[in-house]
Amino acid sequence: MEGQKELSIIIPLYNAIDTLDRCLANILSERRIEMEVILVNDSSTDDTLRLCEKYVSADERVSCVTRPNGGVAAARDTGFAAAKGEYITFVDQDDWVETDTYFVSVKRAQEQDADMVVFNYTKDTGSQVEHMVNRGGILPVTEDKDKLVEYAFFREEYRGFAAYVWNKIFKREFLLKNNISLESGLRRGDDIVFCSKVAACAPKTIYIDKEFYHYVQREDSITHTMTADNLERLEEILTGYDISMKWLYEMGVSERALDYMRCFYVFHASVLYGLAKQCGVEEKQRAYQKEMKRYFAQYKKQNAPYPSRIEQVAMMIDEEV
């Protein structure tokens, strides 16, 4: 379509005054593809809106939408509704990308008529950079939905794929044709649902094993500042898994592939149990014990090479190993 942008980049923002410049620097330095950058201001209480307006004035590729505060999933959904590009992607406000990220991924997608391109990433914790090294080999091109679920959720083998929306670009036509949108009611876990819905529709997928995306974990994130409210937000990731597994089951994904998700579900429930114990919330501890028990059999089977992991979870739920 004449005049259509090749890529829409959606960036949800909430109080991003300290990180937005770094986030946008390499994105806006890219001039080899036609793109639009949609900043979604989630009713920030600092000067984020003023900074957004500065970028809008300086670069015709940038637009800004302000919405009532609703969290990152709702902000992503707002950006998705406004996107017009052939492909779309998401960036989180604390993170940044390498200069060639979108030129390489968009051109590869166009050359092979791909529905999704996935690229590797690093995790920056401030004191160190963790590289996501894959132990297992990921096919450079696949349309196998079981494989895609395995790559996303068997993190022991495939660390550089994952069920995040920000290390992927998606063909917008594919998403619209399959009625795939963001789970905007979730405060956590929307990535899981979105990526699961995409995988279930067997997209033609290209994997690029280059560390294009830099995922920055802040010390003041909700996983580091525990309160009862934060715990309730974090537990919505389990809801995301439940929604995803139901969807994938209905779409004919194999039990073997679903077991990878069930094991990850146990892992997240165990993390939540530890946080609930840290907060002294006994009711939540009992609830997370129940969730771990749901798929403990699958967890034991997958983690047979790691008996210490099994023992740790077994102690949490008072089970015999």
Side-chain angles (χ1 to χ4, degrees), residues 166-217:
W166 37 249
N167 70 323
K168 300 169 179 66
I169 68 169
F170 308 92
K171 181 181 283 187
R172 192 167 65 92
E173 181 185 0
F174 175 86
L175 299 177
L176 295 175
K177 180 179 69 177
N178 291 286
N179 197 29
I180 298 170
S181 60
L182 278 299
E183 198 74 25
S184 60
L186 289 178
R187 292 175 294 178
R188 302 283 288 189
D190 61 299
D191 295 63
I192 294 164
V193 180
F194 190 85
C195 291
S196 296
K197 287 183 175 181
V198 170
C201 295
K204 182 177 181 180
T205 301
I206 294 170
Y207 180 68
I208 301 173
D209 196 10
K210 292 185 178 180
E211 296 174 336
F212 280 154
Y213 194 96
H214 297 271
Y215 168 40
V216 179
Q217 283 198 317

Side-chain angles (χ1 to χ4, degrees), residues 9 11 23-30 35 37 91 97 102:
I9 302 172
I11 309 178
C23 178
L24 287 174
N26 285 352
I27 292 173
L28 295 180
S29 71
E30 178 58 75
M35 64 179 170
V37 178
V91 180
V97 299
Y102 299 125

Side-chain angles (χ1 to χ4, degrees), residues 33-300:
I33 59 171
E34 292 292 323
M35 64 179 170
E36 61 176 357
V37 178
I38 304 171
L39 307 177
V40 184
N41 174 35
D42 197 30
S43 292
S44 299
T45 59
D46 63 2
D47 279 341
T48 295
L49 179 57
R50 178 190 58 78
L51 185 56
C52 289
E53 290 171 343
K54 174 184 172 183
Y55 277 105
V56 171
S57 298
D59 194 320
E60 63 181 8
R61 298 172 298 171
V62 182
S63 63
C64 177
V65 180
T66 295
R67 52 156 290 121
N69 182 260
V72 65
R76 286 170 175 167
D77 193 44
T78 296
F80 179 52
K84 302 299 181 186
E86 179 185 3
Y87 289 87
I88 70 163
T89 192
F90 303 88
V91 180
D92 283 354
Q93 67 184 42
D94 299 321
D95 304 341
W96 58 282
V97 299
E98 295 290 335
T99 305
D100 291 339
T101 299
Y102 299 125
F103 174 74
V104 172
S105 56
V106 167
K107 291 308 177 187
R108 288 281 296 276
Q110 291 173 331
E111 289 167 1
Q112 300 190 49
D113 193 26
D115 301 307
M116 177 169 70
V117 175
V118 184
F119 37 83
N120 208 331
Y121 66 98
T122 66
K123 185 185 294 184
D124 183 352
T125 60
S127 58
Q128 61 181 4
V129 174
E130 183 179 357
H131 301 277
M132 301 295 113
V133 178
N134 298 308
R135 295 182 180 179
I138 296 177
L139 293 171
V141 183
T142 185
E143 297 181 56
D144 186 325
K145 56 189 174 185
D146 284 353
K147 276 289 183 188
L148 292 172
V149 172
E150 180 178 350
Y151 293 157
F153 295 102
F154 191 11
R155 296 292 292 279
E156 200 64 53
E157 290 291 308
Y158 311 107
R159 302 194 70 205
F161 198 98
Y164 296 122
V165 295
W166 37 249
N167 70 323
K168 300 169 179 66
I169 68 169
F170 308 92
K171 181 181 283 187
R172 192 167 65 92
E173 181 185 0
F174 175 86
L175 299 177
L176 295 175
K177 180 179 69 177
N178 291 286
N179 197 29
I180 298 170
S181 60
L182 278 299
E183 198 74 25
S184 60
L186 289 178
R187 292 175 294 178
R188 302 283 288 189
D190 61 299
D191 295 63
I192 294 164
V193 180
F194 190 85
C195 291
S196 296
K197 287 183 175 181
V198 170
C201 295
K204 182 177 181 180
T205 301
I206 294 170
Y207 180 68
I208 301 173
D209 196 10
K210 292 185 178 180
E211 296 174 336
F212 280 154
Y213 194 96
H214 297 271
Y215 168 40
V216 179
Q217 283 198 317
R218 304 191 327 268
E219 287 299 316
D220 62 345
S221 67
I222 64 171
T223 52
H224 291 94
T225 54
M226 280 314 305
T227 65
D229 181 61
N230 283 347
L231 188 61
E232 289 187 2
R233 289 175 63 190
L234 286 168
E235 73 180 12
E236 290 189 17
I237 196 168
L238 300 183
T239 304
Y241 270 95
D242 279 330
I243 293 170
S244 300
M245 288 188 286
K246 182 176 183 296
W247 177 276
L248 290 166
Y249 177 79
E250 291 174 351
M251 294 292 286
V253 169
S254 72
E255 288 293 320
R256 179 177 178 273
L258 287 171
D259 277 348
Y260 294 119
M261 298 186 72
R262 291 166 179 146
C263 291
F264 222 173
Y265 184 98
V266 173
F267 166 76
H268 284 296
S270 71
V271 172
L272 287 164
Y273 173 86
L275 295 173
K277 190 172 184 179
Q278 178 184 326
C279 292
V281 186
E282 293 184 6
E283 181 181 354
K284 290 291 186 183
Q285 291 177 56
R286 290 191 293 272
Y288 300 141
Q289 284 176 321
K290 183 178 178 180
E291 297 307 316
M292 283 185 276
K293 287 180 179 180
R294 286 177 66 185
Y295 304 124
F296 185 54
Q298 291 92 334
Y299 186 84
K300 284 198 297 183

